[in-house]
Amino acid sequence: MKPPSLGAVLLGFIPFVATCFSVALWDRVYPIVLGLPFNFFWLILWLLLTPVCMWGAYRLEVTRASGDGRGQGGLR
Amino acid sequence: MNASFVALTIISVIVAVGSVVGFLARFHHKMDLEQWTVGGRGFGLMLVWLLMAGEIFTTFTFLGASGWAYSRGGPVLYILGYSPLIYVVSFYILPPIWEVGQKHGLQTQADFFQVRYGSTYLGAFVALIGVLCLIPYVQVQLTGLGLIVEVASYGLIPRVPAMIAACVLVAAFVFVSGVRGVAWVSIIKDFLLLFAAIFIGIAIPRIYFGGITSMFAALVHANPTHLVMPGATKDLGHAWYISTVLMISLTFYMWPQYFAASYTARSSRVLRRNAVIMPLYAIAMPLMFIVGFSALLVLPGLSNGDLSLLTIVRKTFPAWLLGVVGGAGALTAMVPAAIQLLTGATLYAKNLFRPILAPGMTDQQVARLARIMVLILTVGALFFAIFTSPSLVSLLLLGSAGVAQLFPGVVLGLYWKRVTTSGIFAGMITGIAIALFLMLTGRNPYLGLNAGFVALCFNFGVTGLVSLLTTVGVTGFDEPFPAIIASSAEEGTPIA
């Protein structure tokens, strides 16, 4: 099985850093943003930003797949 | 007309309409095994989205999210943390899973293991784990449904008859229409659920506090530590958050019903696009938290936090709206229960019964056995739901830690040629043993970490070590292997 491209993996890694590993940095009530405690605001923001990252990864993978199709004489 | 009658009528109408749609979904489709389990691999972006969203937003998220916000506070954020990340992971693993599924005519998760590792016994073992972990999940749905109907009918309908009625409907439309029925019922369910979530999530803080901003301000004032981890708990801190979010997001698609849902897609591109847009659906989740937090201020001291959402809706709104929320909640239990039953029944018939006990069965016979198993599993889950009430959440946690142990077998199976059948067997058994031990002896979280995560780390270690010490059999999906699945199909349906 052909692994995904490095660029696409790195784009997928961004949401993991932002919402998982960095929890100690954003798990706090202040500053309150748009009426929400900061930790809520941050995670809701990433519900919206994650599709942006994955859209980038999608573009990369689709371009690569069509490029490969030509290179290997359209094996699929 | 009294209030319970109004609420009950609306719930019944919603459930009836949902079930009729489930039955009608079979029109124009001949229900062979391929159509029944994976919808003939013909679902486009919209149906795949509905199916996946429909099965992922369960009663556990509906009642449990507000319940955790109410009783535990800050740690509930793990739900918001893993929600987008499971789709990030699905972006990388579902397309290859779909591609090998298409190539080899796979219909279940156990098929994947059987073909990748060339071992019927490994397939059967994976099917067994899947069925055992699915039963408590169905049980959670049924119990949630019983609670919803009981509260929404103002106690008029006790939970047991409600559960039985819902079970009959679910088993019937799964029996008749298979996965297509589930996907179509999801349309109604998602529409109602989003309406209910957005409406009550905005209206409740507005009615009691004047808005979401003032609700949070009041909560910060009344209970300043409730909103950050570990909230009202002692041991659910940041290490627990990271290990739990990692474990759930990596292994979420190891639930056999979610794994198999990827086979319904028309192409792998549909799955990738689905992964891009799905996080947006989780936007309803914070609204559930907001309802739970509002309930903590308005109705403190409820003994069961899982009832906080329904109780505050009943206190605040007229009966018809309670009926709509109750109906949405009932469908939210029925849709996931339906797909769980369908998956469990298929796993049993196709990957446990046929290879071990009756290798000569045709696909038609397997399809018949699977449909009968839907009825048997329904009765089984109903029995557990009625007679064993305590610690449902712990059962479900055990189930998700159990299916998580299938992750190395899938990922290494896709990307590592050196992984062996013995390695996978040894790793899974180690992982399950550790998860069982830690959870049953009350050691979850263990050293501040999620017990399933600890088990998964050991699982990976043992899988790698044993694989390097044993000889490789099948190295991947590209090489020819004895066609185990096709051989028992005899002259049955052409699968690929």
Side-chain angles (χ1 to χ4, degrees):
Chain A
M1 195 49 59
K2 190 182 59 180
S5 67
L6 183 66
V9 173
L10 287 179
L11 277 169
F13 202 62
I14 296 173
F16 268 90
V17 173
T19 66
C20 181
F21 302 120
S22 59
V23 54
L25 300 177
W26 51 257
D27 182 29
R28 54 174 93 199
V29 172
Y30 298 103
I32 286 176
V33 187
L34 303 174
L36 300 167
F38 189 72
N39 46 7
F40 272 73
F41 164 77
W42 182 253
L43 288 178
I44 292 170
L45 179 69
W46 278 93
L47 289 184
L48 306 176
L49 291 181
T50 302
V52 176
C53 293
M54 298 323 287
W55 175 248
Y58 178 76
R59 294 309 315 167
L60 281 179
E61 288 294 290
V62 168
T63 327
R64 195 173 66 128
S66 57
D68 278 10
R70 276 196 298 278
Q72 300 169 359
L75 267 179
R76 289 194 194 169
Chain B
M1 261 197 319
N2 66 24
S4 59
F5 183 75
V6 172
L8 209 55
T9 310
I10 290 176
I11 293 177
S12 313
V13 168
I14 290 171
V15 169
V17 170
S19 307
V20 167
V21 168
F23 285 118
L24 293 182
R26 74 164 286 148
F27 269 135
H28 308 303
H29 295 285
K30 190 171 152 285
M31 278 294 145
D32 55 12
L33 190 60
E34 179 84 351
Q35 189 61 246
W36 194 70
T37 53
V38 293
R41 286 173 226 275
F43 288 8
L45 185 64
M46 171 109 153
L47 268 186
V48 171
W49 191 75
L50 283 168
L51 180 67
M52 291 198 165
E55 17 178 64
I56 281 161
F57 218 136
T58 73
T59 32
F60 186 66
T61 35
F62 191 59
L63 299 181
S66 48
W68 266 58
Y70 182 93
S71 59
R72 290 179 175 78
V76 75
L77 287 172
Y78 88 95
I79 300 178
L80 212 48
Y82 78 64
S83 294
L85 297 182
I86 59 181
Y87 305 115
V88 172
V89 174
S90 84
F91 181 90
Y92 303 100
I93 63 171
L94 291 192
I97 287 172
W98 182 89
E99 275 166 31
V100 297
Q102 167 81 357
K103 195 167 150 198
H104 299 292
L106 311 180
Q107 292 166 335
T108 66
Q109 186 184 38
D111 285 350
F112 178 97
F113 277 81
Q114 192 176 336
V115 170
R116 169 60 182 85
Y117 296 100
S119 164
T120 313
Y121 288 104
L122 186 62
F125 185 62
V126 167
L128 182 68
I129 295 175
V131 175
L132 290 181
C133 294
L134 277 170
I135 291 173
Y137 211 165
V138 179
Q139 189 188 340
V140 168
Q141 306 305 329
L142 294 179
T143 308
L145 183 135
L147 284 178
I148 289 168
V149 175
E150 194 173 73
V151 174
S153 70
Y154 297 84
L156 193 71
I157 304 263
R159 56 188 202 97
V160 172
M163 286 193 283
I164 294 174
C167 271
V168 171
L169 287 170
V170 168
F173 77 69
V174 173
F175 189 92
V176 172
S177 304
V179 72
R180 216 169 259 283
V182 180
W184 282 97
V185 183
S186 290
I187 297 179
I188 299 180
K189 179 216 137 193
D190 286 351
F191 180 76
L192 274 175
L193 187 75
L194 281 177
F195 165 78
I198 292 170
F199 181 80
I200 61 179
I202 292 172
I204 285 179
R206 198 178 169 79
I207 289 167
Y208 290 102
F209 307 97
I212 292 172
T213 307
S214 6
M215 186 281 290
F216 274 120
L219 186 59
V220 169
H221 181 73
N223 193 345
T225 57
H226 192 73
L227 284 166
V228 293
M229 285 169 248
T233 70
K234 284 194 188 67
D235 45 11
L236 305 184
H238 288 161
W240 170 84
Y241 174 90
I242 293 176
S243 56
T244 303
V245 168
L246 267 185
M247 188 198 75
I248 296 182
S249 54
L250 290 176
T251 65
F252 193 80
Y253 277 92
M254 296 305 113
W255 275 104
Q257 72 276 28
Y258 305 146
F259 190 101
S262 64
Y263 292 147
T264 63
R266 190 186 298 144
S267 69
S268 58
R269 193 172 282 202
V270 166
L271 292 169
R272 284 228 164 85
R273 284 216 293 257
N274 194 51
V276 172
I277 56 173
M278 276 295 271
L280 296 175
Y281 190 70
I283 211 80
M285 203 66 83
L287 294 166
M288 300 280 131
F289 301 167
I290 286 169
V291 174
F293 288 137
S294 306
L296 180 63
L297 291 166
V298 177
L299 301 163
L302 290 180
S303 60
N304 184 354
D306 290 348
L307 288 177
S308 58
L309 181 136
L310 292 167
T311 315
I312 196 169
V313 168
R314 189 167 74 176
K315 178 181 156 67
T316 314
F317 297 111
W320 68 267
L321 196 79
L322 180 64
V324 174
V325 173
L331 287 184
T332 306
M334 289 167 67
V335 170
I339 191 77
Q340 288 155 6
L341 288 168
L342 187 147
T343 307
T346 313
L347 279 176
Y348 176 83
K350 191 172 187 223
N351 301 102
L352 258 176
F353 189 87
R354 174 161 82 181
I356 306 291
L357 296 171
M361 280 171 90
T362 63
D363 269 9
Q364 283 84 347
Q365 285 169 317
V366 170
R368 203 172 312 142
L369 177 63
R371 284 175 162 196
I372 294 166
M373 275 311 290
V374 167
L375 307 181
I376 294 173
L377 286 179
T378 307
V379 173
L382 191 56
F383 179 84
F384 283 120
I386 294 174
F387 295 106
T388 61
S389 51
S391 66
L392 278 180
V393 174
S394 59
L395 269 177
L396 182 60
L397 286 176
L398 210 54
S400 47
V403 289
Q405 307 310 321
L406 305 175
F407 184 65
V410 171
V411 170
L412 297 178
L414 286 172
Y415 294 119
W416 196 37
K417 284 186 167 35
R418 192 64 190 77
V419 67
T420 69
T421 311
S422 326
I424 294 301
F425 254 127
M428 274 201 291
I429 290 168
T430 311
I432 288 169
I434 291 176
L436 273 178
F437 172 74
L438 291 178
M439 292 180 137
L440 294 181
T441 55
R443 289 182 170 83
N444 184 28
Y446 181 65
L447 304 176
L449 296 171
N450 181 302
F453 180 78
V454 174
L456 185 61
C457 293
F458 276 97
N459 182 342
F460 261 115
V462 170
T463 306
L465 205 62
V466 175
S467 291
L468 291 173
L469 296 173
T470 46
T471 47
V472 186
V474 183
T475 56
F477 284 99
D478 296 328
E479 77 174 47
F481 48 85
I484 310 151
I485 289 184
S487 73
S488 47
E490 287 173 358
E491 60 189 58
T493 47
I495 291 175

